[in-house]
Amino acid sequence: AFVKAYYRRGISHLALGKTKLALQDLRAVARLRPNDAAAQAKMRQCEKIVRLETFEAAIRTEEAASPFDSINLDEIEVEESYTGPRWDEGNI
């Protein structure tokens, strides 16, 4: 088995931010060499990063436009019988 190639490719993927691909390779290394402490440590580090990315993606929201942005005060018609305060050229 090409353990060294899997390890190097996993580390390269991790450096490029391709964490899920890195995790696949690092898990293969850990499976092929279960007593390799360095490989186990890298796999655990990569698992942490993948979990963090998954969590961040789950809580990420797109900022929605405020409904107040769509209000045009000039288009609002006020009945003549209204006796409350009026907006008149920037003055109340």
Side-chain angles (χ1 to χ4, degrees):
F2 303 101
V3 178
K4 191 181 248 186
Y6 280 122
Y7 183 80
R8 287 181 176 171
R9 187 172 71 174
I11 297 302
S12 297
H13 282 312
L14 191 58
L16 292 171
K18 299 178 179 181
T19 54
K20 291 183 180 178
L21 292 173
L23 187 57
Q24 289 176 356
D25 288 337
L26 293 172
R27 281 184 176 159
V29 172
R31 190 175 358 91
L32 295 169
R33 294 269 169 86
N35 295 330
D36 187 342
Q40 296 290 334
K42 276 292 183 193
M43 183 189 69
R44 283 192 301 276
Q45 176 189 7
C46 189
E47 285 174 335
K48 275 184 171 179
I49 294 169
V50 169
R51 279 194 308 269
L52 179 65
E53 288 176 347
T54 303
F55 174 74
E56 288 174 347
I59 64 171
R60 187 176 305 126
T61 60
E62 298 294 323
E63 287 219 18
S66 171
F68 298 108
D69 293 339
S70 63
I71 296 175
N72 184 352
L73 297 177
D74 296 328
E75 292 178 356
I76 298 175
E77 293 183 25
V78 180
E79 296 176 6
E80 291 298 323
S81 62
Y82 176 73
T83 58
R86 292 186 177 264
W87 182 268
D88 202 22
E89 294 183 28
N91 300 317
I92 297 179

